[in-house]
Amino acid sequence: MLTFHSEDTKQRRPRIELDGGRFVTPHECPERVDMVIDRVRKIGLGEIRAPRAYGLEPILAVHDHGYVAFLEHAWDEWGAAGLEGEPIPSIWPARRLRGDRIPNSIEGRIGYYALAAETTLCARTFAAAQVSKDIALSALDHVVQTGEPAFGLCRPPGHHAAIDQYGGYCFFNNAAIAAQRALQGGMGKVAILDIDFHHGNGTQDIFYARDDVLFLSLHGDPRQEFPYFLGFADETGRGKGEGFNVNYPLLGGTDYAVWANALEDALRRVRAYRPELLIVSLGVDTFELDPISSFKLKSDDYLDCGRRLKALGIPTTFLLEGGYAVEEIGINVVNVLTGFEGS
């Protein structure tokens, strides 16, 4: 299987993350990329290619223009305002505050566009997110042109990035950008299957009122897990999108037997939808040793997951999302891909 990768994704190097009331070393770190690409090379998964540049147009096809401009300039504006450290929100337009006015202050705009406080902005965030998007689109184009599967080693991840919000380590929604490009290229229907531990709230937000993308997400129950305020089973779409958004919230401690039952139901729905393309938001923070998750999947389970995905018989693009047990992330990600390849 072809892998798309760039060392430029490691330009984003945040120093802090808010976790449990403490500032800690960020879980979403450049070393994640090293572990995955080392494993790709070690087992000989296939050729590794650099992505090509696609510019801003594919991003603007799914994200708000003002939001994209904010991300492009936020770091410089923060410094120009005489502020130190890494930008982190201190207030949001929460209930009974107005959300229809965007502040002039950079501190206010960070609160307007952020959905959570754990993810700081830092130098080169915008550049790294651009490269991550390029990786996703390069993988997509390979699948569309050849019908062969491809893996995009995206970083930062994307599935929490909504139309006009960042958070959960995500800035541009790579899976949504790729799906939109496939549709604009002539496809009629695309399915996005999100198997990350956390709900793909951003992807749901982007496609919630549409029927040309079937979105399915297996994730920790939002009563217990981030992002807390989206990802419930009764969120099934709106308008034309009714019935095309499917959530599988699962309790902490879920093992592979329970998780695989939910996966099989999702795959049944994908078959019934009959998409021309499947995009897998590939998070492996479902792993039993992941530091910020609570499922109990083991490394060998990811091989079986890959085999189940292969049985769909649909052209498939894999895009990296979460997975923070850094020592095992390479094994677990590549196990899905080798399971899919049948090797």
Side-chain angles (χ1 to χ4, degrees), residues 63-71 74 78 87-94 97-117 119 121 160 162-167 205:
H63 286 293
D64 174 74
H65 288 219
Y67 166 69
V68 175
F70 159 78
L71 284 179
W78 181 264
I88 189 169
S90 57
I91 189 169
W92 290 265
L97 295 181
R98 294 187 63 171
D100 62 336
R101 299 290 180 91
I102 303 176
N104 293 328
S105 160
I106 183 60
E107 291 183 276
R109 274 182 288 131
I110 287 170
Y112 180 83
Y113 286 116
L115 64 86
T119 301
L121 296 171
H160 292 306
I163 293 170
D164 60 353
Q165 290 180 303
Y166 73 93
D205 178 57

Side-chain angles (χ1 to χ4, degrees), residues 142-161:
H142 176 78
V143 175
V144 170
Q145 292 162 11
T146 68
E148 299 172 352
F151 169 50
L153 209 180
C154 298
R155 180 188 179 266
H159 72 148
H160 292 306

Side-chain angles (χ1 to χ4, degrees), residues 315-331:
T316 302
T317 305
F318 293 91
L319 304 177
L320 183 64
E321 299 286 0
Y324 309 103
V326 175
E327 293 298 323
E328 293 88 357
I329 183 176
I331 293 170

